Amino acid sequence: MPRLSFPEFRASSEKYREDKSSMPRLIPVSCTAIQAVNPNYSFVEACQRGDMEAFRALYEAYKDTVYSIALNFSGGNQDAAKDIAQDVFLKLFSSLKSFRGASNFSTWLFRVVVNACMDEHRKRRRLVPLEDSVPPEALSSTYSQERHAWQKQLASEVGIAVAALSPKLRLPIVLRYVQGLSYEEIARVLGCSAGTVASRLNRGHKFLARRLSHLRSAAGGGDV
Amino acid sequence: MFERHVTSKLSAFVHGQLSESDAQRVSGHLARCSRCRQELEEISAGADLAKNLGSPSAPDSLWPSIQRHVEHGPSPSLLQRARMSWMGWPRAPITVSALLLLTMVAALTWYYEIRQPLQVTTSVAAPSEFEAAALRAYHSQMQPDWHWDLATHDAQQLRDWLRLASNLHASVPLQRPSEDAGRLQLAGVKLIEAAGARAAVIGYQVDGRQVTLLTAWVRDLQEKLSEGFLSKDIVYRAAQDDMKTFTWEASGQAYVMVSALPHFGERGCILCHTTPERRALISNMNPQRKN
């Protein structure tokens, strides 16, 4: 990098802020929940100006994404999931003004969600005994009423088992199976290598297989 | 001839995340190895079960609570309101005691942080895993394939991005003294995993020389670096090729600074320390003890 005088590098950072071409497009990446929406960078600009309508639209685009990650991370604890989702969107609202778009927006959003999940986990670990934190009936009640009763029970038990994983192993499982992120995308969100993601998924899969061995024949095969 | 097992690649194989050549190699190995086939069966079963995780919709009640916070700020809970009234206790003695306590803490902080010269311990022991990660990051920055998660010269932008992306704090001041003009420049920040923790690599230059700062929450590290509240024990190590590392803790975060700057790299400290008092403290650093 060329060596700049103090006024020059101050001016260059001002130019960086004004350089709209550096702002990213909000590209839905492997997220079925947001594929129906395709906001562009001017949308983010509107939020940065404090436009509540734009923020509401951003919320509508990402609310299910954020909430589903939070709920699955919390093992079906709706209160915890709502706290996490609320925290994420409040951070989004307060921080969009300083978001300059040097990284992909969805990666940035997922990182905020992951951090909020970890913060909530640390907070609740101090307050709530682990065995009381996952009411089984809450899990089955959150899923679609159209699902077969057995599938609801299966989803409930899988959710409880996932909640029993350590956060480090739980997050790759949730990001992969709830949001369909690739290993590279998960690695960018978690700040680790794709190899580490693969290793954690290995351990997570084995844990689920052993913990839910009584359900293995009922879960069925197929594409993952 | 012994062949390496492919268990570490099985989840990626199941998910189709391997390259074509790796997938072929795994397939070929599975045809010959019953142990890996058993592992594959178990991992596939876990993957099939995990597919049943749902994607529930957000409840309608979520937006009103967010909107309320955005427009009016959070309303205090009953417990908070009770705490605000100090639960009926007399306020004056509590206030005076709190002020006295704050004054004592401020005095102690001034004494230990400002008045005392920094104590630097020279270490000849092998570097910790966290420190080794910092050294690797320093060298990696020189490679052409290195890229920052956020490339910026702007301290405010770096601080905001880092806080949101990782909850880590970068005490990079926004105002700099005139003597720094043209001599210090931020390069960017990148998140990595170091010693089991999420860590941030912050790159900058001082007098045209690369400096790398690695930081992570102490509580997330899987090794113990140093101890003691208000401890200002800075571990200095002379690595190879004139490189120096400084390791310290502050406000719950562990730091390693790597540079080839002369005189123990103290010039590298001007990134975070901008007052004349702090810079005088830094210039008094004098490695004495050895371990």
Side-chain angles (χ1 to χ4, degrees), chain B residues 6-60:
Chain B
V6 295
T7 47
S8 64
K9 297 190 186 298
L10 289 177
S11 281
F13 178 72
V14 167
H15 286 145
Q17 296 283 306
L18 293 178
S19 64
E20 197 173 324
S21 57
D22 278 350
Q24 282 176 352
R25 191 173 72 80
V26 169
S27 291
H29 177 84
L30 287 170
R32 296 182 292 275
C33 178
S34 60
R35 173 180 155 182
C36 286
R37 284 198 300 274
Q38 282 179 354
E39 290 272 331
L40 177 67
E41 191 182 327
E42 191 171 44
I43 286 170
S44 295
D48 286 341
L49 286 161
K51 278 190 302 173
N52 290 281
L53 282 176
S55 298
S57 301
D60 293 336

CSV table of all heavy atoms in Angstrom, one decimal, chain B residues 6-60:
chain,number,residue,atom,x,y,z
B,6,VAL,N,-10.6,-42.5,5.9
B,6,VAL,CA,-11.2,-41.3,5.4
B,6,VAL,C,-12.3,-40.8,6.3
B,6,VAL,O,-13.2,-40.0,5.8
B,6,VAL,CB,-11.7,-41.5,4.0
B,6,VAL,CG1,-10.6,-41.8,3.0
B,6,VAL,CG2,-12.8,-42.6,4.0
B,7,THR,N,-12.3,-41.2,7.6
B,7,THR,CA,-13.4,-40.8,8.4
B,7,THR,C,-13.6,-39.3,8.5
B,7,THR,O,-14.8,-38.8,8.6
B,7,THR,CB,-13.2,-41.4,9.9
B,7,THR,OG1,-11.9,-41.0,10.3
B,7,THR,CG2,-13.4,-42.8,9.9
B,8,SER,N,-12.6,-38.5,8.5
B,8,SER,CA,-12.7,-37.1,8.6
B,8,SER,C,-13.4,-36.4,7.4
B,8,SER,O,-13.9,-35.3,7.5
B,8,SER,CB,-11.3,-36.4,8.8
B,8,SER,OG,-10.6,-36.6,7.6
B,9,LYS,N,-13.5,-37.2,6.3
B,9,LYS,CA,-14.1,-36.6,5.1
B,9,LYS,C,-15.6,-37.1,4.9
B,9,LYS,O,-16.2,-36.8,3.9
B,9,LYS,CB,-13.3,-36.9,3.9
B,9,LYS,CG,-11.9,-36.3,3.9
B,9,LYS,CD,-11.2,-36.5,2.6
B,9,LYS,CE,-9.8,-36.0,2.7
B,9,LYS,NZ,-9.7,-34.6,3.0
B,10,LEU,N,-16.0,-38.0,5.8
B,10,LEU,CA,-17.3,-38.7,5.5
B,10,LEU,C,-18.5,-37.8,5.5
B,10,LEU,O,-19.4,-37.9,4.6
B,10,LEU,CB,-17.5,-39.8,6.5
B,10,LEU,CG,-16.5,-41.0,6.2
B,10,LEU,CD1,-16.7,-42.1,7.3
B,10,LEU,CD2,-16.7,-41.6,4.9
B,11,SER,N,-18.6,-36.8,6.4
B,11,SER,CA,-19.7,-35.9,6.4
B,11,SER,C,-19.7,-35.1,5.1
B,11,SER,O,-20.8,-34.9,4.4
B,11,SER,CB,-19.7,-34.9,7.6
B,11,SER,OG,-20.2,-35.6,8.7
B,12,ALA,N,-18.5,-34.6,4.7
B,12,ALA,CA,-18.4,-33.8,3.4
B,12,ALA,C,-18.8,-34.7,2.2
B,12,ALA,O,-19.4,-34.3,1.3
B,12,ALA,CB,-17.0,-33.3,3.3
B,13,PHE,N,-18.4,-36.0,2.3
B,13,PHE,CA,-18.7,-36.9,1.3
B,13,PHE,C,-20.3,-37.1,1.2
B,13,PHE,O,-20.8,-37.1,0.1
B,13,PHE,CB,-18.1,-38.3,1.5
B,13,PHE,CG,-18.4,-39.4,0.5
B,13,PHE,CD1,-17.8,-39.3,-0.7
B,13,PHE,CD2,-19.2,-40.4,0.9
B,13,PHE,CE1,-18.1,-40.3,-1.6
B,13,PHE,CE2,-19.4,-41.4,0.0
B,13,PHE,CZ,-18.9,-41.4,-1.3
B,14,VAL,N,-20.9,-37.3,2.3
B,14,VAL,CA,-22.4,-37.5,2.3
B,14,VAL,C,-23.1,-36.2,1.8
B,14,VAL,O,-24.1,-36.3,1.0
B,14,VAL,CB,-22.8,-37.7,3.8
B,14,VAL,CG1,-24.3,-37.6,3.9
B,14,VAL,CG2,-22.4,-39.1,4.2
B,15,HIS,N,-22.5,-35.0,2.0
B,15,HIS,CA,-23.1,-33.8,1.6
B,15,HIS,C,-22.7,-33.3,0.2
B,15,HIS,O,-23.1,-32.3,-0.2
B,15,HIS,CB,-22.8,-32.7,2.6
B,15,HIS,CG,-23.5,-32.8,3.9
B,15,HIS,ND1,-23.0,-32.5,5.1
B,15,HIS,CD2,-24.8,-33.2,4.2
B,15,HIS,CE1,-23.9,-32.7,6.1
B,15,HIS,NE2,-25.0,-33.1,5.5
B,16,GLY,N,-21.8,-34.1,-0.4
B,16,GLY,CA,-21.4,-33.7,-1.7
B,16,GLY,C,-20.5,-32.5,-1.7
B,16,GLY,O,-20.5,-31.7,-2.7
B,17,GLN,N,-19.8,-32.3,-0.6
B,17,GLN,CA,-18.9,-31.1,-0.5
B,17,GLN,C,-17.5,-31.4,-0.9
B,17,GLN,O,-16.6,-30.5,-0.7
B,17,GLN,CB,-19.0,-30.6,0.9
B,17,GLN,CG,-20.4,-30.1,1.3
B,17,GLN,CD,-20.7,-28.7,0.8
B,17,GLN,OE1,-20.0,-27.8,1.0
B,17,GLN,NE2,-21.9,-28.6,0.1
B,18,LEU,N,-17.2,-32.5,-1.3
B,18,LEU,CA,-15.8,-32.8,-1.7
B,18,LEU,C,-15.6,-32.6,-3.2
B,18,LEU,O,-16.5,-32.6,-4.0
B,18,LEU,CB,-15.5,-34.3,-1.4
B,18,LEU,CG,-15.5,-34.8,0.0
B,18,LEU,CD1,-15.2,-36.3,0.1
B,18,LEU,CD2,-14.4,-34.0,0.8
B,19,SER,N,-14.3,-32.3,-3.5
B,19,SER,CA,-14.0,-32.2,-4.9
B,19,SER,C,-14.1,-33.6,-5.6
B,19,SER,O,-14.2,-34.6,-4.9
B,19,SER,CB,-12.5,-31.7,-5.1
B,19,SER,OG,-11.7,-32.7,-4.5
B,20,GLU,N,-14.2,-33.6,-6.9
B,20,GLU,CA,-14.4,-34.8,-7.6
B,20,GLU,C,-13.3,-35.8,-7.3
B,20,GLU,O,-13.6,-37.0,-7.1
B,20,GLU,CB,-14.5,-34.5,-9.1
B,20,GLU,CG,-15.1,-35.7,-9.9
B,20,GLU,CD,-15.2,-35.3,-11.4
B,20,GLU,OE1,-15.5,-34.1,-11.7
B,20,GLU,OE2,-15.0,-36.2,-12.2
B,21,SER,N,-12.1,-35.4,-7.3
B,21,SER,CA,-11.0,-36.3,-7.0
B,21,SER,C,-11.0,-36.9,-5.6
B,21,SER,O,-10.8,-38.0,-5.4
B,21,SER,CB,-9.6,-35.6,-7.2
B,21,SER,OG,-9.5,-34.4,-6.4
B,22,ASP,N,-11.4,-36.0,-4.6
B,22,ASP,CA,-11.5,-36.5,-3.2
B,22,ASP,C,-12.6,-37.4,-3.1
B,22,ASP,O,-12.5,-38.4,-2.4
B,22,ASP,CB,-11.7,-35.3,-2.3
B,22,ASP,CG,-10.4,-34.6,-1.9
B,22,ASP,OD1,-9.3,-35.2,-2.3
B,22,ASP,OD2,-10.4,-33.5,-1.3
B,23,ALA,N,-13.7,-37.1,-3.8
B,23,ALA,CA,-14.9,-38.0,-3.7
B,23,ALA,C,-14.6,-39.4,-4.3
B,23,ALA,O,-15.0,-40.4,-3.7
B,23,ALA,CB,-16.1,-37.4,-4.4
B,24,GLN,N,-13.8,-39.4,-5.3
B,24,GLN,CA,-13.5,-40.7,-5.9
B,24,GLN,C,-12.5,-41.5,-5.0
B,24,GLN,O,-12.7,-42.7,-4.9
B,24,GLN,CB,-12.8,-40.4,-7.3
B,24,GLN,CG,-13.7,-40.1,-8.4
B,24,GLN,CD,-13.0,-39.8,-9.7
B,24,GLN,OE1,-11.8,-39.7,-9.8
B,24,GLN,NE2,-13.8,-39.6,-10.8
B,25,ARG,N,-11.6,-40.7,-4.4
B,25,ARG,CA,-10.7,-41.4,-3.5
B,25,ARG,C,-11.4,-42.0,-2.3
B,25,ARG,O,-11.2,-43.1,-1.9
B,25,ARG,CB,-9.6,-40.4,-3.0
B,25,ARG,CG,-8.5,-41.1,-2.3
B,25,ARG,CD,-7.4,-40.0,-2.0
B,25,ARG,NE,-7.8,-39.1,-0.9
B,25,ARG,CZ,-7.7,-39.4,0.4
B,25,ARG,NH1,-7.3,-40.5,0.8
B,25,ARG,NH2,-8.0,-38.4,1.2
B,26,VAL,N,-12.4,-41.2,-1.8
B,26,VAL,CA,-13.2,-41.7,-0.6
B,26,VAL,C,-14.0,-43.0,-1.1
B,26,VAL,O,-14.0,-44.0,-0.3
B,26,VAL,CB,-14.1,-40.6,-0.1
B,26,VAL,CG1,-15.1,-41.2,0.9
B,26,VAL,CG2,-13.3,-39.5,0.6
B,27,SER,N,-14.6,-42.9,-2.2
B,27,SER,CA,-15.4,-44.0,-2.7
B,27,SER,C,-14.6,-45.3,-2.8
B,27,SER,O,-15.0,-46.4,-2.4
B,27,SER,CB,-16.0,-43.7,-4.1
B,27,SER,OG,-17.0,-42.7,-3.9
B,28,GLY,N,-13.4,-45.1,-3.4
B,28,GLY,CA,-12.5,-46.2,-3.6
B,28,GLY,C,-12.1,-46.8,-2.3
B,28,GLY,O,-12.0,-48.0,-2.1
B,29,HIS,N,-11.8,-45.9,-1.3
B,29,HIS,CA,-11.4,-46.4,0.0
B,29,HIS,C,-12.5,-47.2,0.7
B,29,HIS,O,-12.3,-48.2,1.3
B,29,HIS,CB,-10.9,-45.3,0.9
B,29,HIS,CG,-10.5,-45.7,2.3
B,29,HIS,ND1,-9.3,-46.1,2.6
B,29,HIS,CD2,-11.2,-45.7,3.4
B,29,HIS,CE1,-9.2,-46.4,3.9
B,29,HIS,NE2,-10.4,-46.2,4.4
B,30,LEU,N,-13.7,-46.6,0.6
B,30,LEU,CA,-14.9,-47.3,1.2
B,30,LEU,C,-15.1,-48.7,0.7
B,30,LEU,O,-15.6,-49.6,1.4
B,30,LEU,CB,-16.1,-46.4,1.0
B,30,LEU,CG,-16.2,-45.1,1.8
B,30,LEU,CD1,-17.4,-44.2,1.4
B,30,LEU,CD2,-16.3,-45.4,3.3
B,31,ALA,N,-14.8,-48.9,-0.6
B,31,ALA,CA,-15.0,-50.2,-1.1
B,31,ALA,C,-14.1,-51.2,-0.5
B,31,ALA,O,-14.3,-52.4,-0.5
B,31,ALA,CB,-14.8,-50.2,-2.6
B,32,ARG,N,-13.0,-50.7,0.1
B,32,ARG,CA,-12.0,-51.7,0.7
B,32,ARG,C,-11.9,-51.7,2.2
B,32,ARG,O,-11.3,-52.5,2.8
B,32,ARG,CB,-10.6,-51.2,0.2
B,32,ARG,CG,-10.4,-51.3,-1.3
B,32,ARG,CD,-8.9,-50.9,-1.7
B,32,ARG,NE,-8.6,-49.5,-1.5
B,32,ARG,CZ,-8.9,-48.6,-2.3
B,32,ARG,NH1,-9.5,-48.8,-3.5
B,32,ARG,NH2,-8.6,-47.3,-2.1
B,33,CYS,N,-12.6,-50.7,2.8
B,33,CYS,CA,-12.4,-50.6,4.3
B,33,CYS,C,-13.8,-50.7,5.0
B,33,CYS,O,-14.6,-49.8,4.9
B,33,CYS,CB,-11.8,-49.2,4.6
B,33,CYS,SG,-11.6,-48.9,6.3
B,34,SER,N,-13.9,-51.8,5.8
B,34,SER,CA,-15.2,-52.0,6.5
B,34,SER,C,-15.4,-51.0,7.6
B,34,SER,O,-16.5,-50.6,7.9
B,34,SER,CB,-15.3,-53.4,7.0
B,34,SER,OG,-14.2,-53.7,7.9
B,35,ARG,N,-14.3,-50.6,8.2
B,35,ARG,CA,-14.3,-49.7,9.4
B,35,ARG,C,-14.9,-48.3,8.9
B,35,ARG,O,-15.8,-47.8,9.5
B,35,ARG,CB,-13.0,-49.5,10.0
B,35,ARG,CG,-12.9,-48.4,11.0
B,35,ARG,CD,-11.6,-48.2,11.6
B,35,ARG,NE,-11.4,-46.9,12.2
B,35,ARG,CZ,-10.3,-46.5,12.7
B,35,ARG,NH1,-9.2,-47.2,12.7
B,35,ARG,NH2,-10.2,-45.2,13.2
B,36,CYS,N,-14.4,-47.8,7.8
B,36,CYS,CA,-14.9,-46.6,7.3
B,36,CYS,C,-16.4,-46.7,6.8
B,36,CYS,O,-17.2,-45.8,6.9
B,36,CYS,CB,-14.0,-46.0,6.2
B,36,CYS,SG,-12.5,-45.4,6.8
B,37,ARG,N,-16.7,-47.9,6.3
B,37,ARG,CA,-18.1,-48.1,5.9
B,37,ARG,C,-19.0,-48.0,7.1
B,37,ARG,O,-20.1,-47.5,7.0
B,37,ARG,CB,-18.3,-49.4,5.1
B,37,ARG,CG,-17.7,-49.4,3.7
B,37,ARG,CD,-18.3,-50.6,2.9
B,37,ARG,NE,-18.0,-51.9,3.5
B,37,ARG,CZ,-16.8,-52.6,3.2
B,37,ARG,NH1,-15.9,-52.0,2.4
B,37,ARG,NH2,-16.6,-53.7,3.7
B,38,GLN,N,-18.6,-48.6,8.2
B,38,GLN,CA,-19.4,-48.5,9.4
B,38,GLN,C,-19.6,-47.1,9.9
B,38,GLN,O,-20.6,-46.6,10.3
B,38,GLN,CB,-18.7,-49.3,10.5
B,38,GLN,CG,-19.0,-50.8,10.4
B,38,GLN,CD,-18.3,-51.6,11.5
B,38,GLN,OE1,-17.5,-51.0,12.3
B,38,GLN,NE2,-18.5,-52.9,11.6
B,39,GLU,N,-18.5,-46.3,9.8
B,39,GLU,CA,-18.5,-44.9,10.2
B,39,GLU,C,-19.5,-44.2,9.2
B,39,GLU,O,-20.3,-43.3,9.7
B,39,GLU,CB,-17.1,-44.3,10.0
B,39,GLU,CG,-16.1,-44.7,11.1
B,39,GLU,CD,-16.1,-43.9,12.3
B,39,GLU,OE1,-16.5,-42.7,12.3
B,39,GLU,OE2,-15.8,-44.4,13.4
B,40,LEU,N,-19.4,-44.5,8.0
B,40,LEU,CA,-20.3,-43.8,7.0
B,40,LEU,C,-21.7,-44.1,7.3
B,40,LEU,O,-22.6,-43.2,7.2
B,40,LEU,CB,-19.9,-44.3,5.6
B,40,LEU,CG,-20.8,-43.7,4.5
B,40,LEU,CD1,-20.6,-42.2,4.3
B,40,LEU,CD2,-20.6,-44.4,3.1
B,41,GLU,N,-22.0,-45.3,7.7
B,41,GLU,CA,-23.4,-45.7,8.0
B,41,GLU,C,-23.9,-44.9,9.2
B,41,GLU,O,-25.0,-44.3,9.2
B,41,GLU,CB,-23.4,-47.2,8.4
B,41,GLU,CG,-24.9,-47.7,8.4
B,41,GLU,CD,-24.9,-49.2,8.8
B,41,GLU,OE1,-23.9,-49.9,8.5
B,41,GLU,OE2,-25.8,-49.6,9.5
B,42,GLU,N,-23.0,-44.7,10.2
B,42,GLU,CA,-23.4,-44.0,11.4
B,42,GLU,C,-23.6,-42.5,11.0
B,42,GLU,O,-24.6,-41.8,11.4
B,42,GLU,CB,-22.4,-44.1,12.5
B,42,GLU,CG,-22.8,-43.6,13.8
B,42,GLU,CD,-21.8,-44.0,14.9
B,42,GLU,OE1,-20.6,-43.8,14.7
B,42,GLU,OE2,-22.3,-44.3,16.0
B,43,ILE,N,-22.6,-41.9,10.3
B,43,ILE,CA,-22.7,-40.5,9.9
B,43,ILE,C,-23.9,-40.3,9.0
B,43,ILE,O,-24.6,-39.3,9.2
B,43,ILE,CB,-21.4,-40.1,9.3
B,43,ILE,CG1,-20.3,-39.9,10.3
B,43,ILE,CG2,-21.6,-38.8,8.5
B,43,ILE,CD1,-18.9,-39.7,9.8
B,44,SER,N,-24.2,-41.2,8.1
B,44,SER,CA,-25.4,-41.0,7.2
B,44,SER,C,-26.7,-41.1,8.0
B,44,SER,O,-27.6,-40.3,7.7
B,44,SER,CB,-25.4,-42.1,6.2
B,44,SER,OG,-24.3,-42.0,5.3
B,45,ALA,N,-26.7,-41.9,9.0
B,45,ALA,CA,-27.9,-42.0,9.9
B,45,ALA,C,-28.1,-40.7,10.6
B,45,ALA,O,-29.2,-40.2,10.7
B,45,ALA,CB,-27.7,-43.2,10.9
B,46,GLY,N,-27.0,-40.1,11.1
B,46,GLY,CA,-27.1,-38.8,11.8
B,46,GLY,C,-27.5,-37.7,10.9
B,46,GLY,O,-28.4,-36.9,11.2
B,47,ALA,N,-27.0,-37.8,9.7
B,47,ALA,CA,-27.4,-36.7,8.7
B,47,ALA,C,-28.9,-36.9,8.3
B,47,ALA,O,-29.6,-35.9,8.2
B,47,ALA,CB,-26.5,-36.9,7.4
B,48,ASP,N,-29.4,-38.1,8.2
B,48,ASP,CA,-30.8,-38.3,7.9
B,48,ASP,C,-31.7,-37.8,9.0
B,48,ASP,O,-32.7,-37.2,8.7
B,48,ASP,CB,-31.1,-39.8,7.7
B,48,ASP,CG,-30.5,-40.3,6.3
B,48,ASP,OD1,-30.3,-39.5,5.4
B,48,ASP,OD2,-30.3,-41.6,6.2
B,49,LEU,N,-31.2,-38.1,10.2
B,49,LEU,CA,-32.0,-37.6,11.4
B,49,LEU,C,-32.0,-36.0,11.4
B,49,LEU,O,-33.1,-35.4,11.6
B,49,LEU,CB,-31.4,-38.1,12.7
B,49,LEU,CG,-31.7,-39.6,12.9
B,49,LEU,CD1,-30.7,-40.2,13.9
B,49,LEU,CD2,-33.1,-39.8,13.4
B,50,ALA,N,-30.9,-35.5,11.1
B,50,ALA,CA,-30.8,-34.0,11.2
B,50,ALA,C,-31.6,-33.3,10.2
B,50,ALA,O,-32.0,-32.2,10.4
B,50,ALA,CB,-29.3,-33.6,11.1
B,51,LYS,N,-31.9,-34.0,9.1
B,51,LYS,CA,-32.8,-33.4,8.0
B,51,LYS,C,-34.1,-33.1,8.6
B,51,LYS,O,-34.9,-32.3,8.0
B,51,LYS,CB,-32.9,-34.4,6.9
B,51,LYS,CG,-31.8,-34.5,5.9
B,51,LYS,CD,-32.2,-35.3,4.7
B,51,LYS,CE,-32.6,-36.7,5.1
B,51,LYS,NZ,-33.2,-37.5,4.0
B,52,ASN,N,-34.5,-33.7,9.7
B,52,ASN,CA,-35.8,-33.5,10.2
B,52,ASN,C,-35.9,-32.2,11.1
B,52,ASN,O,-37.0,-31.9,11.6
B,52,ASN,CB,-36.3,-34.7,11.1
B,52,ASN,CG,-36.5,-35.9,10.2
B,52,ASN,OD1,-37.6,-36.0,9.6
B,52,ASN,ND2,-35.5,-36.8,10.1
B,53,LEU,N,-34.9,-31.4,11.2
B,53,LEU,CA,-34.9,-30.2,11.9
B,53,LEU,C,-35.9,-29.3,11.1
B,53,LEU,O,-35.8,-29.2,9.9
B,53,LEU,CB,-33.6,-29.5,12.0
B,53,LEU,CG,-32.6,-30.1,13.1
B,53,LEU,CD1,-31.3,-29.4,13.0
B,53,LEU,CD2,-33.3,-29.8,14.5
B,54,GLY,N,-36.7,-28.6,11.8
B,54,GLY,CA,-37.7,-27.7,11.1
B,54,GLY,C,-37.2,-26.3,10.8
B,54,GLY,O,-36.2,-25.9,11.4
B,55,SER,N,-37.9,-25.6,10.0
B,55,SER,CA,-37.7,-24.2,9.8
B,55,SER,C,-38.9,-23.4,10.2
B,55,SER,O,-39.7,-23.0,9.3
B,55,SER,CB,-37.3,-23.9,8.3
B,55,SER,OG,-36.2,-24.6,8.0
B,56,PRO,N,-39.2,-23.3,11.4
B,56,PRO,CA,-40.4,-22.6,11.9
B,56,PRO,C,-40.4,-21.1,11.5
B,56,PRO,O,-39.4,-20.5,11.4
B,56,PRO,CB,-40.4,-22.8,13.4
B,56,PRO,CG,-39.0,-23.0,13.7
B,56,PRO,CD,-38.3,-23.6,12.6
B,57,SER,N,-41.6,-20.6,11.4
B,57,SER,CA,-41.8,-19.2,11.1
B,57,SER,C,-41.7,-18.4,12.3
B,57,SER,O,-42.1,-18.9,13.4
B,57,SER,CB,-43.1,-18.9,10.4
B,57,SER,OG,-43.2,-19.7,9.2
B,58,ALA,N,-41.3,-17.1,12.2
B,58,ALA,CA,-41.2,-16.2,13.3
B,58,ALA,C,-42.6,-15.9,13.8
B,58,ALA,O,-43.5,-15.7,12.9
B,58,ALA,CB,-40.5,-15.0,13.0
B,59,PRO,N,-42.9,-15.8,15.1
B,59,PRO,CA,-44.2,-15.5,15.6
B,59,PRO,C,-44.6,-14.0,15.3
B,59,PRO,O,-43.7,-13.2,15.1
B,59,PRO,CB,-44.1,-15.7,17.1
B,59,PRO,CG,-42.7,-15.6,17.4
B,59,PRO,CD,-41.9,-16.0,16.2
B,60,ASP,N,-45.9,-13.8,15.1
B,60,ASP,CA,-46.3,-12.4,14.9
B,60,ASP,C,-46.0,-11.4,16.0
B,60,ASP,O,-45.9,-10.2,15.8
B,60,ASP,CB,-47.8,-12.4,14.6
B,60,ASP,CG,-48.2,-13.1,13.4
B,60,ASP,OD1,-47.4,-13.3,12.5
B,60,ASP,OD2,-49.4,-13.6,13.3
